[in-house]
Amino acid sequence: MFYDSHIFCCTNRREPGSKRGCCAEKGAEELRDYMKARVKELGLARVRVNASGCLDRCELGPCVVIYPEGTWYSCKTKADVDEVLETHVKGGGRVERLMLPG
């Protein structure tokens, strides 16, 4: 396996006024960029952060899914991103309060 963790960050943008909303209008692009920078700062060489299209959990976003585990999170702030990177990606644990229901 080339990456130990592959993180997909929804950056989907819906039409303005969509009743479901979208991750992009909730700051997903900025948070994805922040996550990419933090991965480099933390020296996590075998971790890849990618933008994704719609992950279909719009109401709960910004949404992130981490593979190979398939763990879903809602990361709304930079502090949330830091907690997921430290606890899940580096530490192998889970951030229960940010996990999306299955």
Side-chain angles (χ1 to χ4, degrees):
M1 182 181 324
F2 191 75
Y3 297 113
D4 293 329
S5 290
H6 206 145
I7 305 170
F8 292 92
C9 303
C10 180
T11 57
N12 188 57
R13 185 172 304 278
R14 291 183 182 275
E15 290 294 319
S18 168
K19 69 179 185 174
R20 292 189 71 197
C22 67
C23 290
E25 69 186 18
K26 297 173 186 171
E29 293 162 335
E30 179 185 350
L31 289 169
R32 186 241 10 247
D33 292 345
Y34 177 76
M35 183 178 277
K36 286 178 83 159
R38 288 294 294 146
V39 162
K40 282 187 180 182
E41 288 172 12
L42 293 168
L44 301 172
R46 294 183 51 88
V47 174
R48 176 76 177 181
V49 177
N50 279 95
S52 80
C54 185
L55 295 174
D56 204 26
R57 314 257 342 236
C58 313
E59 299 84 356
L60 304 172
C63 295
V64 172
V65 61
I66 302 176
Y67 290 106
E69 302 88 356
T71 305
W72 291 72
Y73 291 106
S74 178
C75 293
K76 298 179 188 300
T77 67
K78 290 178 180 179
D80 291 346
V81 168
D82 287 336
E83 189 173 357
V84 166
L85 290 176
E86 287 289 340
T87 302
H88 183 119
V89 178
K90 265 184 93 173
R94 299 294 177 269
V95 183
E96 297 286 334
R97 69 178 190 82
L98 298 176
M99 288 176 67
L100 295 178

